[in-house]
Amino acid sequence: MKRRKETYWWLSVLSIVLFVAVWWFCCDVLKLTKSSTLPGPITIAETFIKKLTSTAPDGATLPQHIFSSLKIALGGWAMGILIGTPLGIFMAWYKKVDLFVRPLFDLLRPVPGLAWIPLMIILFGIGLTPKIVTVFLSAFVPCVVNSYTGIRQTKDVHLWVGQTFGASDTQMLVHIAIPTALPLIMTGVRVALGAAWTCIVAAEMLASTMGLGYMIQQARGIYRPDIIICGMIGIGAIGAVFSGVLSLIENKIVKGVRRDG
């Protein structure tokens, strides 16, 4: 198992190295594109290092932009989890809650998070509130859907066993349904993080004075593809780190539940 994991790790590293090598060969060796249109990886690395301490041309360093985006994205994401996950569980477990909430949820569910941005700006202006609310709405939907689906997939035979041993409705929810639904609930948390991260970057492009989306938008206005790509790398790297951390947490939680069960 350990050797297999090492093989997977090396294959992952190899894919990134191969991509960068092809990029460098096409841009810096073959000169297939102009450096002003698509800079090579060496230029991007130099810009990335410089942007760590330089505030030009958008008024903030790369770490400052990252912190600004993370603060809003994680806040809205956490709200989406804390409200969306319990709501999905209650909708799946209690028929009356489902009948009461589902009509409104079915109206809101198809609306993409980005569609809320103009309305939020009109209601709250330009600031933290409209972006946090927009991110919350983007993260809220996958949390509800996945927790609802996870609870609904609880096998009837497990519930019958619980009833046979005299478990109450609440005990069956806490000790049978929720542990069974944990993998799907965690998947919803991961999907919600991706939606939140995408939404905050788009929101910052439209209305913000700080953040990765703002940095990319400003770089587009002055035709700086190197800064744009640096922003894209930052977004991808942070998303990959969070995805990896959530995968580790998911594995530990699911293994712990199975061990207790």
Side-chain angles (χ1 to χ4, degrees):
M1 181 64 71
K2 184 178 180 181
R3 190 170 183 178
R4 183 182 298 176
K5 288 183 178 180
E6 290 179 354
T7 302
Y8 289 158
W9 186 85
W10 280 111
L11 285 173
S12 300
V13 172
L14 180 62
S15 67
I16 296 175
V17 172
L18 183 62
F19 172 78
V20 174
V22 172
W23 179 13
W24 169 79
F25 188 73
C26 292
C27 294
D28 293 338
V29 178
L30 298 180
K31 305 289 185 181
L32 296 179
T33 61
K34 296 180 180 179
S35 59
S36 59
T37 303
L38 180 61
I42 296 176
T43 302
I44 299 302
E46 292 173 349
T47 302
F48 190 91
I49 294 172
K50 183 179 179 180
K51 191 62 183 164
L52 290 175
T53 55
S54 174
T55 59
D58 44 62
T61 63
L62 183 59
Q64 289 173 328
H65 285 303
I66 290 174
F67 178 75
S68 177
S69 295
L70 280 177
K71 179 173 60 177
I72 301 170
L74 294 181
W77 175 60
M79 289 172 56
I81 295 172
L82 293 175
I83 298 175
T85 300
L87 179 61
I89 292 172
F90 291 146
M91 287 173 63
W93 193 253
Y94 300 107
K95 187 66 175 178
K96 291 182 179 180
V97 176
D98 190 20
L99 292 173
F100 180 77
V101 177
R102 177 175 285 277
L104 179 60
F105 180 74
D106 285 343
L107 287 174
L108 297 178
R109 178 181 174 181
V111 181
L114 300 181
W116 291 98
I117 296 175
L119 179 61
M120 293 300 108
I121 293 175
I122 293 174
L123 291 175
F124 302 108
I126 297 176
L128 292 178
T129 302
K131 291 191 282 291
I132 290 179
V133 174
T134 303
V135 171
F136 158 72
L137 291 170
S138 297
F140 170 77
V141 172
C143 287
V144 173
V145 172
N146 282 64
S147 58
Y148 179 93
T149 304
I151 297 295
R152 296 291 291 181
Q153 287 183 355
T154 304
K155 293 181 179 180
D156 291 336
V157 65
H158 294 163
L159 299 177
W160 294 338
V161 172
Q163 290 173 343
T164 301
F165 283 93
S168 66
D169 191 64
T170 302
Q171 287 175 326
M172 287 192 294
L173 172 62
V174 173
H175 297 290
I176 298 176
I178 292 179
T180 302
L182 265 180
L184 267 177
I185 291 175
M186 290 302 299
T187 299
V189 170
R190 293 174 64 181
V191 173
L193 179 61
W197 198 228
T198 301
C199 188
I200 185 56
V201 172
E204 288 171 344
M205 286 183 177
L206 293 177
S208 185
T209 57
M210 185 81 71
L212 290 171
Y214 173 79
M215 184 184 79
I216 291 172
Q217 180 69 2
Q218 293 300 305
R220 183 197 65 82
I222 59 175
Y223 209 77
R224 287 288 303 274
D226 54 334
I227 296 180
I228 294 175
I229 295 175
C230 284
M232 294 169 63
I233 291 173
I235 293 168
I238 293 170
V241 169
F242 276 111
S243 180
V245 171
L246 286 176
S247 294
L248 293 175
I249 294 174
E250 178 182 356
N251 290 334
K252 288 188 176 181
I253 290 176
V254 173
K255 287 181 180 178
V257 170
R258 288 176 178 172
R259 191 183 306 115
D260 294 340

